[in-house]
PDB file of all heavy atoms in Angstrom:
ATOM      1  N   ARG B 158      14.690  38.682   1.466  1.00  0.00           N
ATOM      2  CA  ARG B 158      13.899  37.721   0.703  1.00  0.00           C
ATOM      3  C   ARG B 158      14.308  36.265   1.049  1.00  0.00           C
ATOM      4  O   ARG B 158      13.555  35.369   0.868  1.00  0.00           O
ATOM      5  CB  ARG B 158      13.974  37.939  -0.759  1.00  0.00           C
ATOM      6  CG  ARG B 158      13.223  39.172  -1.248  1.00  0.00           C
ATOM      7  CD  ARG B 158      11.741  39.019  -1.106  1.00  0.00           C
ATOM      8  NE  ARG B 158      11.009  40.122  -1.547  1.00  0.00           N
ATOM      9  CZ  ARG B 158      10.696  41.152  -0.801  1.00  0.00           C
ATOM     10  NH1 ARG B 158      11.031  41.154   0.525  1.00  0.00           N
ATOM     11  NH2 ARG B 158       9.957  42.197  -1.253  1.00  0.00           N
ATOM     12  N   ILE B 166      11.958  25.868   0.212  1.00  0.00           N
ATOM     13  CA  ILE B 166      10.582  25.319   0.232  1.00  0.00           C
ATOM     14  C   ILE B 166       9.667  26.288  -0.527  1.00  0.00           C
ATOM     15  O   ILE B 166       8.430  26.190  -0.411  1.00  0.00           O
ATOM     16  CB  ILE B 166      10.107  25.215   1.662  1.00  0.00           C
ATOM     17  CG1 ILE B 166      10.231  26.465   2.432  1.00  0.00           C
ATOM     18  CG2 ILE B 166      10.758  23.986   2.416  1.00  0.00           C
ATOM     19  CD1 ILE B 166       9.322  26.574   3.633  1.00  0.00           C
ATOM     20  N   LEU B 167      10.273  27.119  -1.392  1.00  0.00           N
ATOM     21  CA  LEU B 167       9.397  28.053  -2.122  1.00  0.00           C
ATOM     22  C   LEU B 167       8.404  27.422  -2.989  1.00  0.00           C
ATOM     23  O   LEU B 167       7.317  28.045  -3.231  1.00  0.00           O
ATOM     24  CB  LEU B 167      10.302  29.079  -2.968  1.00  0.00           C
ATOM     25  CG  LEU B 167      11.051  30.099  -2.051  1.00  0.00           C
ATOM     26  CD1 LEU B 167      12.116  30.877  -2.970  1.00  0.00           C
ATOM     27  CD2 LEU B 167      10.149  31.073  -1.535  1.00  0.00           C
ATOM     28  N   ASP B 168       8.642  26.185  -3.453  1.00  0.00           N
ATOM     29  CA  ASP B 168       7.583  25.513  -4.234  1.00  0.00           C
ATOM     30  C   ASP B 168       6.373  25.178  -3.423  1.00  0.00           C
ATOM     31  O   ASP B 168       5.269  25.045  -4.010  1.00  0.00           O
ATOM     32  CB  ASP B 168       8.202  24.152  -4.753  1.00  0.00           C
ATOM     33  CG  ASP B 168       8.732  23.297  -3.623  1.00  0.00           C
ATOM     34  OD1 ASP B 168       9.486  23.804  -2.710  1.00  0.00           O
ATOM     35  OD2 ASP B 168       8.379  22.102  -3.586  1.00  0.00           O
ATOM     36  N   LYS B 169       6.458  25.160  -2.096  1.00  0.00           N
ATOM     37  CA  LYS B 169       5.334  24.829  -1.302  1.00  0.00           C
ATOM     38  C   LYS B 169       4.558  26.086  -0.832  1.00  0.00           C
ATOM     39  O   LYS B 169       3.411  25.964  -0.300  1.00  0.00           O
ATOM     40  CB  LYS B 169       5.812  24.111   0.031  1.00  0.00           C
ATOM     41  CG  LYS B 169       6.268  22.727  -0.205  1.00  0.00           C
ATOM     42  CD  LYS B 169       6.617  22.121   1.198  1.00  0.00           C
ATOM     43  CE  LYS B 169       6.860  20.658   1.195  1.00  0.00           C
ATOM     44  NZ  LYS B 169       7.580  19.965   0.263  1.00  0.00           N
ATOM     45  N   THR B 170       5.198  27.240  -0.911  1.00  0.00           N
ATOM     46  CA  THR B 170       4.600  28.435  -0.290  1.00  0.00           C
ATOM     47  C   THR B 170       4.383  29.523  -1.314  1.00  0.00           C
ATOM     48  O   THR B 170       4.516  30.705  -0.988  1.00  0.00           O
ATOM     49  CB  THR B 170       5.516  28.952   0.873  1.00  0.00           C
ATOM     50  OG1 THR B 170       6.843  29.168   0.327  1.00  0.00           O
ATOM     51  CG2 THR B 170       5.632  27.876   1.954  1.00  0.00           C
ATOM     52  N   GLY B 171       4.056  29.174  -2.514  1.00  0.00           N
ATOM     53  CA  GLY B 171       3.627  30.209  -3.509  1.00  0.00           C
ATOM     54  C   GLY B 171       4.828  31.092  -3.847  1.00  0.00           C
ATOM     55  O   GLY B 171       4.675  32.205  -4.332  1.00  0.00           O
ATOM     56  N   GLY B 172       6.014  30.644  -3.624  1.00  0.00           N
ATOM     57  CA  GLY B 172       7.195  31.426  -3.989  1.00  0.00           C
ATOM     58  C   GLY B 172       7.576  32.540  -3.050  1.00  0.00           C
ATOM     59  O   GLY B 172       8.266  33.440  -3.394  1.00  0.00           O
ATOM     60  N   ILE B 173       6.906  32.489  -1.911  1.00  0.00           N
ATOM     61  CA  ILE B 173       7.184  33.516  -0.851  1.00  0.00           C
ATOM     62  C   ILE B 173       7.727  32.812   0.387  1.00  0.00           C
ATOM     63  O   ILE B 173       7.150  31.805   0.799  1.00  0.00           O
ATOM     64  CB  ILE B 173       5.969  34.362  -0.544  1.00  0.00           C
ATOM     65  CG1 ILE B 173       5.633  35.186  -1.737  1.00  0.00           C
ATOM     66  CG2 ILE B 173       6.136  35.199   0.755  1.00  0.00           C
ATOM     67  CD1 ILE B 173       4.156  35.560  -1.884  1.00  0.00           C
ATOM     68  N   CYS B 174       8.865  33.259   0.906  1.00  0.00           N
ATOM     69  CA  CYS B 174       9.602  32.462   1.935  1.00  0.00           C
ATOM     70  C   CYS B 174       9.147  32.857   3.294  1.00  0.00           C
ATOM     71  O   CYS B 174       9.415  33.949   3.784  1.00  0.00           O
ATOM     72  CB  CYS B 174      11.117  32.686   1.783  1.00  0.00           C
ATOM     73  SG  CYS B 174      11.971  31.703   3.032  1.00  0.00           S
ATOM     74  N   PRO B 175       8.590  31.888   4.054  1.00  0.00           N
ATOM     75  CA  PRO B 175       8.190  32.199   5.442  1.00  0.00           C
ATOM     76  C   PRO B 175       9.340  32.097   6.398  1.00  0.00           C
ATOM     77  O   PRO B 175       9.269  32.620   7.505  1.00  0.00           O
ATOM     78  CB  PRO B 175       7.168  31.110   5.707  1.00  0.00           C
ATOM     79  CG  PRO B 175       7.436  29.948   4.831  1.00  0.00           C
ATOM     80  CD  PRO B 175       8.115  30.591   3.598  1.00  0.00           C
ATOM     81  N   ILE B 176      10.464  31.498   5.960  1.00  0.00           N
ATOM     82  CA  ILE B 176      11.635  31.499   6.825  1.00  0.00           C
ATOM     83  C   ILE B 176      12.200  32.904   6.955  1.00  0.00           C
ATOM     84  O   ILE B 176      12.559  33.412   7.999  1.00  0.00           O
ATOM     85  CB  ILE B 176      12.678  30.483   6.321  1.00  0.00           C
ATOM     86  CG1 ILE B 176      12.096  29.104   6.129  1.00  0.00           C
ATOM     87  CG2 ILE B 176      13.900  30.417   7.311  1.00  0.00           C
ATOM     88  CD1 ILE B 176      11.583  28.393   7.256  1.00  0.00           C
ATOM     89  N   ALA B 177      12.356  33.506   5.742  1.00  0.00           N
ATOM     90  CA  ALA B 177      12.944  34.849   5.746  1.00  0.00           C
ATOM     91  C   ALA B 177      11.968  35.952   6.136  1.00  0.00           C
ATOM     92  O   ALA B 177      12.382  37.030   6.573  1.00  0.00           O
ATOM     93  CB  ALA B 177      13.549  35.105   4.362  1.00  0.00           C
ATOM     94  N   ARG B 178      10.669  35.659   5.811  1.00  0.00           N
ATOM     95  CA  ARG B 178       9.717  36.846   5.838  1.00  0.00           C
ATOM     96  C   ARG B 178       8.625  36.714   6.909  1.00  0.00           C
ATOM     97  O   ARG B 178       7.922  37.704   7.006  1.00  0.00           O
ATOM     98  CB  ARG B 178       9.155  36.903   4.446  1.00  0.00           C
ATOM     99  CG  ARG B 178      10.255  37.217   3.448  1.00  0.00           C
ATOM    100  CD  ARG B 178       9.750  37.337   2.049  1.00  0.00           C
ATOM    101  NE  ARG B 178       9.010  38.511   1.852  1.00  0.00           N
ATOM    102  CZ  ARG B 178       8.454  38.839   0.685  1.00  0.00           C
ATOM    103  NH1 ARG B 178       8.551  38.060  -0.378  1.00  0.00           N
ATOM    104  NH2 ARG B 178       7.833  39.957   0.488  1.00  0.00           N
ATOM    105  N   CYS B 179       8.524  35.594   7.564  1.00  0.00           N
ATOM    106  CA  CYS B 179       7.566  35.531   8.764  1.00  0.00           C
ATOM    107  C   CYS B 179       8.419  35.708   9.971  1.00  0.00           C
ATOM    108  O   CYS B 179       9.454  35.060  10.126  1.00  0.00           O
ATOM    109  CB  CYS B 179       6.910  34.165   8.777  1.00  0.00           C
ATOM    110  SG  CYS B 179       6.049  33.834  10.342  1.00  0.00           S
ATOM    111  N   CYS B 204       2.737  40.747   6.398  1.00  0.00           N
ATOM    112  CA  CYS B 204       2.639  39.335   6.949  1.00  0.00           C
ATOM    113  C   CYS B 204       2.895  38.364   5.796  1.00  0.00           C
ATOM    114  O   CYS B 204       2.248  38.383   4.744  1.00  0.00           O
ATOM    115  CB  CYS B 204       1.217  39.054   7.441  1.00  0.00           C
ATOM    116  SG  CYS B 204       0.845  37.368   7.760  1.00  0.00           S
ATOM    117  N   ALA B 205       3.952  37.532   5.953  1.00  0.00           N
ATOM    118  CA  ALA B 205       4.401  36.616   4.862  1.00  0.00           C
ATOM    119  C   ALA B 205       3.159  35.697   4.518  1.00  0.00           C
ATOM    120  O   ALA B 205       3.050  35.389   3.374  1.00  0.00           O
ATOM    121  CB  ALA B 205       5.597  35.907   5.289  1.00  0.00           C
ATOM    122  N   TRP B 206       2.455  35.259   5.519  1.00  0.00           N
ATOM    123  CA  TRP B 206       1.398  34.297   5.269  1.00  0.00           C
ATOM    124  C   TRP B 206       0.240  34.968   4.523  1.00  0.00           C
ATOM    125  O   TRP B 206      -0.483  34.283   3.792  1.00  0.00           O
ATOM    126  CB  TRP B 206       1.004  33.526   6.513  1.00  0.00           C
ATOM    127  CG  TRP B 206       2.018  32.455   6.679  1.00  0.00           C
ATOM    128  CD1 TRP B 206       3.065  32.379   7.551  1.00  0.00           C
ATOM    129  CD2 TRP B 206       2.039  31.187   5.972  1.00  0.00           C
ATOM    130  NE1 TRP B 206       3.757  31.322   7.362  1.00  0.00           N
ATOM    131  CE2 TRP B 206       3.135  30.534   6.471  1.00  0.00           C
ATOM    132  CE3 TRP B 206       1.227  30.624   4.928  1.00  0.00           C
ATOM    133  CZ2 TRP B 206       3.523  29.269   5.916  1.00  0.00           C
ATOM    134  CZ3 TRP B 206       1.647  29.351   4.430  1.00  0.00           C
ATOM    135  CH2 TRP B 206       2.754  28.718   4.964  1.00  0.00           C
ATOM    136  N   GLN B 207       0.019  36.249   4.734  1.00  0.00           N
ATOM    137  CA  GLN B 207      -1.053  36.983   3.923  1.00  0.00           C
ATOM    138  C   GLN B 207      -0.547  37.001   2.491  1.00  0.00           C
ATOM    139  O   GLN B 207      -1.281  36.702   1.582  1.00  0.00           O
ATOM    140  CB  GLN B 207      -1.156  38.365   4.436  1.00  0.00           C
ATOM    141  CG  GLN B 207      -2.074  39.257   3.566  1.00  0.00           C
ATOM    142  CD  GLN B 207      -3.566  38.982   3.904  1.00  0.00           C
ATOM    143  OE1 GLN B 207      -4.042  39.025   5.040  1.00  0.00           O
ATOM    144  NE2 GLN B 207      -4.350  38.645   2.830  1.00  0.00           N
ATOM    145  N   LEU B 208       0.728  37.268   2.276  1.00  0.00           N
ATOM    146  CA  LEU B 208       1.341  37.257   0.901  1.00  0.00           C
ATOM    147  C   LEU B 208       1.214  35.849   0.247  1.00  0.00           C
ATOM    148  O   LEU B 208       0.801  35.757  -0.890  1.00  0.00           O
ATOM    149  CB  LEU B 208       2.799  37.744   0.915  1.00  0.00           C
ATOM    150  CG  LEU B 208       3.038  39.169   1.407  1.00  0.00           C
ATOM    151  CD1 LEU B 208       4.610  39.402   1.483  1.00  0.00           C
ATOM    152  CD2 LEU B 208       2.425  40.184   0.521  1.00  0.00           C
ATOM    153  N   ILE B 209       1.571  34.849   1.087  1.00  0.00           N
ATOM    154  CA  ILE B 209       1.474  33.497   0.571  1.00  0.00           C
ATOM    155  C   ILE B 209       0.001  33.109   0.237  1.00  0.00           C
ATOM    156  O   ILE B 209      -0.208  32.611  -0.922  1.00  0.00           O
ATOM    157  CB  ILE B 209       2.042  32.480   1.541  1.00  0.00           C
ATOM    158  CG1 ILE B 209       3.621  32.727   1.738  1.00  0.00           C
ATOM    159  CG2 ILE B 209       1.737  31.018   1.195  1.00  0.00           C
ATOM    160  CD1 ILE B 209       4.191  32.018   2.944  1.00  0.00           C
ATOM    161  N   TYR B 210      -0.832  33.524   1.079  1.00  0.00           N
ATOM    162  CA  TYR B 210      -2.312  33.206   0.762  1.00  0.00           C
ATOM    163  C   TYR B 210      -2.763  33.921  -0.483  1.00  0.00           C
ATOM    164  O   TYR B 210      -3.397  33.285  -1.370  1.00  0.00           O
ATOM    165  CB  TYR B 210      -3.188  33.686   1.974  1.00  0.00           C
ATOM    166  CG  TYR B 210      -4.678  33.645   1.752  1.00  0.00           C
ATOM    167  CD1 TYR B 210      -5.298  32.437   1.789  1.00  0.00           C
ATOM    168  CD2 TYR B 210      -5.370  34.791   1.425  1.00  0.00           C
ATOM    169  CE1 TYR B 210      -6.732  32.366   1.577  1.00  0.00           C
ATOM    170  CE2 TYR B 210      -6.743  34.745   1.192  1.00  0.00           C
ATOM    171  CZ  TYR B 210      -7.409  33.539   1.277  1.00  0.00           C
ATOM    172  OH  TYR B 210      -8.747  33.509   1.019  1.00  0.00           O
ATOM    173  N   ASP B 211      -2.471  35.182  -0.608  1.00  0.00           N
ATOM    174  CA  ASP B 211      -2.861  36.003  -1.739  1.00  0.00           C
ATOM    175  C   ASP B 211      -2.300  35.366  -3.067  1.00  0.00           C
ATOM    176  O   ASP B 211      -3.019  35.206  -4.052  1.00  0.00           O
ATOM    177  CB  ASP B 211      -2.442  37.430  -1.644  1.00  0.00           C
ATOM    178  CG  ASP B 211      -3.206  38.146  -0.549  1.00  0.00           C
ATOM    179  OD1 ASP B 211      -4.230  37.620  -0.083  1.00  0.00           O
ATOM    180  OD2 ASP B 211      -2.711  39.280  -0.156  1.00  0.00           O
ATOM    181  N   ARG B 212      -1.052  34.960  -2.975  1.00  0.00           N
ATOM    182  CA  ARG B 212      -0.348  34.449  -4.132  1.00  0.00           C
ATOM    183  C   ARG B 212      -0.901  33.104  -4.551  1.00  0.00           C
ATOM    184  O   ARG B 212      -1.205  32.874  -5.690  1.00  0.00           O
ATOM    185  CB  ARG B 212       1.205  34.300  -3.805  1.00  0.00           C
ATOM    186  CG  ARG B 212       2.003  33.877  -4.951  1.00  0.00           C
ATOM    187  CD  ARG B 212       2.202  34.918  -6.016  1.00  0.00           C
ATOM    188  NE  ARG B 212       3.028  34.409  -7.095  1.00  0.00           N
ATOM    189  CZ  ARG B 212       2.787  34.619  -8.390  1.00  0.00           C
ATOM    190  NH1 ARG B 212       1.800  35.401  -8.803  1.00  0.00           N
ATOM    191  NH2 ARG B 212       3.680  34.080  -9.238  1.00  0.00           N
ATOM    192  N   LEU B 213      -1.089  32.219  -3.565  1.00  0.00           N
ATOM    193  CA  LEU B 213      -1.660  30.892  -3.825  1.00  0.00           C
ATOM    194  C   LEU B 213      -3.135  31.011  -4.422  1.00  0.00           C
ATOM    195  O   LEU B 213      -3.469  30.203  -5.292  1.00  0.00           O
ATOM    196  CB  LEU B 213      -1.625  29.967  -2.626  1.00  0.00           C
ATOM    197  CG  LEU B 213      -0.278  29.507  -2.158  1.00  0.00           C
ATOM    198  CD1 LEU B 213      -0.336  28.671  -0.836  1.00  0.00           C
ATOM    199  CD2 LEU B 213       0.426  28.651  -3.254  1.00  0.00           C
TER     200      LEU B 213
END
Side-chain angles (χ1 to χ4, degrees):
Chain B
R158 288 292 179 272
I166 54 159
L167 286 171
D168 56 312
K169 290 182 167 44
T170 57
I173 289 151
C174 180
I176 307 294
R178 301 177 71 181
C179 166
C204 168
W206 279 99
Q207 175 79 53
L208 298 175
I209 293 168
Y210 172 76
D211 292 345
R212 182 73 179 140
L213 288 176

